[in-house]
Amino acid sequence: MGPLVHFELTREWARDAGMGDLADRVARADVSVDFEHPARGSFANLTRHFAPWAHFWVWRYLRLAIATRSPEALGRALHASQDAVSHGVLGLAHIRFQLGWGRNPDDWAAAPERIRARIRARSYSLVRRYLDGV
């Protein structure tokens, strides 16, 4: 979803949920996943961006975030969750786009409202779970 979602909106959602100044750290960690683990870099990297594997990373990073109180781990969990929704199973949304059959899955403005709502809701849910420690 690019920097708009992975940084700007993530920071906004984290602040709205009550993270205060930690929201910046969460957003920086979220957006950094694309640079630290580019999807084209390897299969291991790809798993952080496409369902169903990305759900494993959400679970792993969220557990780490809660256990260590790490806003950076929360940001990584958010990235995997946001991409899993946007990119779809096995990256099919990207494949359809490359074939000219669909929208760019990284374009927030072009995403259907149901997709934007799902990304927003899952992001708030993960932040709340982190803040609640569950």
Side-chain angles (χ1 to χ4, degrees):
M1 293 298 316
L4 173 62
V5 172
H6 294 314
F7 186 79
E8 298 295 333
L9 292 176
T10 292
R11 183 175 59 187
E12 178 183 318
W13 296 332
R15 282 183 181 155
D16 288 350
M19 292 203 73
D21 292 338
L22 288 179
D24 288 327
R25 288 174 59 188
V26 171
R28 278 194 302 272
D30 185 338
V31 77
S32 74
V33 173
D34 281 330
F35 304 101
E36 294 170 3
H37 304 284
R40 294 183 180 167
S42 69
F43 180 75
N45 287 356
L46 183 88
T47 64
R48 288 171 169 83
H49 304 277
F50 300 132
W53 312 289
H55 299 295
F56 162 77
W57 290 106
V58 173
W59 172 82
R60 182 185 183 285
Y61 285 133
L62 183 61
R63 283 188 50 170
L64 178 65
I66 291 169
T68 64
R69 303 310 301 154
S70 168
E72 288 76 19
L74 174 60
R76 291 179 186 96
L78 286 164
H79 188 103
S81 178
Q82 293 160 351
D83 274 6
V85 173
S86 175
H87 299 167
V89 175
L90 305 175
L92 290 177
H94 277 286
I95 294 168
R96 284 192 301 271
F97 176 65
Q98 293 297 324
L99 294 172
W101 296 340
R103 65 172 181 82
N104 180 347
D106 289 319
D107 184 349
W108 177 256
E113 179 52 34
R114 65 182 169 73
I115 297 293
R116 291 193 307 261
R118 212 151 112 220
I119 291 170
R120 189 180 310 112
R122 288 186 181 192
S123 296
Y124 273 116
S125 176
L126 290 174
V127 171
R128 280 193 299 272
R129 288 179 63 189
Y130 172 82
L131 290 172
D132 293 342
V134 294

